[in-house]
Amino acid sequence: SISSAAYMPAMRPPLYAHGSFAFFGKYGDNRCGILDGGGATRVLGELIIGYLFFGGMGAAMLAMLGVREILHARHALLPACNRGMGFLGEQASWPPYDEGAARAWAACAFCLCLGSLLLFVDLGRPERVFQFLLSSRLSVMTVGAYALGASVVCSLAFAAEYFFDSVSFPRVPRVLLGVVSLLSGMLTATYTGVLLQSMNSVVFWQTPLLPMLFLVSSFSCAAACIAASVSSCDMLAKPSRFVRRLLSFDMVLIAFEGACVFLYLVLSFISNDARLAVRELLSGELSTVFWLGVVLLGLVTPLVLEAKGLRSPKGSSVCICALFVLAGGIFLRFCIVSAAAYDITNTPEFIYGLSIGAV
């Protein structure tokens, strides 16, 4: 093991990857170099951080809204089965048009399209996308790429139906599309964490808790965003039972997310190779963003506001609470990605030895 005191003075500036695929030798151009100038440089840039946030949240929204469409279809096909509608909070005629649902689908499609665009721009060269998708090599990234594409198509299809009268799906195809939305949304939301975990060049990301943490955070942000989308229809009105159930669900997710963050940091600190990254988060250069952005704004404040909102909720309070949850999601991904710059393996000899064949 190497102590932080002995390691810090000799630590080289971390390796910077031009494009996320630069970690995966076969598909990247491997244009990596050490940046001088002092200070830590993140292994992945702002574009990937944006993808991790918008792609993960949009995918989780897709999965949750897909369940909503399936339950609506179940109620329409089997009117006697009203228990499933309890999750929706209200009974609706078929086909259901509801302004809140339309706004939620629009937000879902926007997040997925924006996340895909950020990932696409980060690649640097458009031909990489086709080279990667047409490759016969099955990998985590291949599955994630196809899941992301399916998620974008499903979100745009449902959003189009809610906004255009000329677009309408029969009940059975709607159920099938809802099932595809659920599966592709779950895969895409999980993939955002698996993408980082598959990079063997960063020990700090080598834990199954990372995909779980990102998955829980994505669903927490998704629940908050859906609740805000529905509540924004009438900011002064009392939210529906559906929104109140979402707030209760989000409280559970936030508590679980806090537990995942705690376990993730504890297990990483036990590992000597990742201990420096944890110290930077807790008491180093990233500590302000971590404690204020992740813990205070992203975990504590939403829990307090949602607990208060369940007693006397208003649409405006739900939207304000959602802003804190989303801010916490962004700060969480920023901290996790930025902490990799302090990983002990973030030196050229380790990168070139471990990056090839990461997936």
Side-chain angles (χ1 to χ4, degrees):
S1 64
I2 303 177
S3 65
S4 60
Y7 181 67
M8 283 288 286
M11 188 176 71
R12 303 180 185 180
L15 198 66
Y16 180 82
H18 294 264
S20 57
F21 281 66
F23 281 93
F24 307 100
K26 180 177 179 180
Y27 301 107
D29 57 7
N30 291 321
R31 290 180 298 142
C32 299
I34 298 177
L35 298 182
D36 296 323
T41 302
R42 286 191 302 276
V43 175
L44 299 178
E46 291 81 359
L47 293 176
I48 289 298
I49 295 175
Y51 158 71
L52 294 175
F53 174 71
F54 287 106
M57 179 176 68
M61 290 180 69
L62 179 69
M64 296 177 69
L65 292 173
V67 172
R68 178 189 186 275
E69 299 298 332
I70 294 172
L71 293 178
H72 261 302
R74 178 187 177 187
H75 173 68
L77 295 173
L78 300 173
C81 299
N82 294 328
R83 294 182 180 179
M85 297 300 292
F87 172 77
L88 302 176
E90 54 201 27
Q91 302 211 5
S93 59
W94 189 263
Y97 179 82
D98 148 7
E99 185 179 356
R103 294 188 181 192
W105 274 115
C108 173
F110 172 79
C111 290
L112 284 170
C113 290
L114 179 58
S116 302
L117 177 62
L118 293 173
L119 183 62
F120 183 82
V121 173
D122 181 75
L123 295 180
R125 295 204 306 263
E127 64 271 16
R128 289 180 179 179
V129 178
F130 302 101
Q131 177 187 4
F132 177 71
L133 293 178
L134 296 178
S135 172
S136 60
R137 180 185 180 187
L138 182 63
S139 67
V140 172
M141 294 190 69
T142 306
V143 175
Y146 280 108
L148 179 60
S151 298
V152 172
V153 171
C154 291
S155 65
L156 290 175
F158 274 122
E161 186 189 29
Y162 274 94
F163 281 96
F164 300 102
D165 295 335
S166 59
V167 180
S168 180
F169 300 119
R171 292 171 182 145
V172 174
R174 176 184 290 269
V175 173
L176 296 177
L177 189 59
V179 172
V180 174
S181 298
L182 172 61
L183 296 178
S184 61
M186 288 293 298
L187 282 175
T188 304
T190 305
Y191 168 70
T192 57
V194 174
L195 173 65
L196 298 188
Q197 187 195 17
S198 63
M199 296 181 183
N200 294 336
S201 52
V202 180
V203 174
F204 183 62
W205 295 338
Q206 300 307 303
T207 169
L209 279 175
L210 180 57
M212 182 182 298
L213 174 60
F214 275 18
L215 181 65
V216 174
S217 175
S218 294
F219 272 91
S220 175
C221 292
C225 190
I226 294 174
S229 299
V230 176
S231 300
S232 65
C233 297
D234 192 342
M235 302 288 280
L236 299 179
K238 182 179 179 180
S240 65
R241 185 171 60 179
F242 173 54
V243 172
R244 294 196 297 272
R245 285 179 179 269
L246 276 178
L247 292 179
S248 300
F249 179 56
D250 194 37
M251 290 180 64
V252 175
L253 290 175
I254 291 175
F256 190 47
E257 181 183 352
C260 288
V261 170
F262 176 77
L263 289 176
Y264 182 75
L265 294 181
V266 169
L267 294 179
S268 298
F269 188 80
I270 294 175
S271 170
N272 290 330
D273 292 340
R275 183 171 297 178
L276 182 59
V278 177
R279 287 179 176 174
E280 288 298 323
L281 281 176
L282 299 181
S283 59
E285 295 181 1
L286 299 174
S287 60
T288 301
V289 178
F290 176 76
W291 290 111
L292 294 183
V294 178
V295 177
L296 181 60
L297 294 182
L299 297 176
V300 177
T301 302
L303 275 177
V304 174
L305 292 179
E306 288 179 347
K308 181 180 179 181
L310 288 175
R311 294 194 296 269
S312 57
K314 290 184 179 180
S316 57
S317 63
V318 174
C319 294
I320 293 174
C321 181
L323 291 177
F324 283 104
V325 175
L326 300 187
I330 295 175
F331 285 129
L332 174 66
R333 286 154 182 79
F334 174 84
C335 287
I336 296 297
V337 171
S338 299
Y342 303 94
D343 193 272
I344 196 172
T345 59
N346 199 10
T347 54
E349 55 268 28
F350 278 90
I351 290 286
Y352 288 122
L354 297 178
S355 64
I356 305 300
V359 177

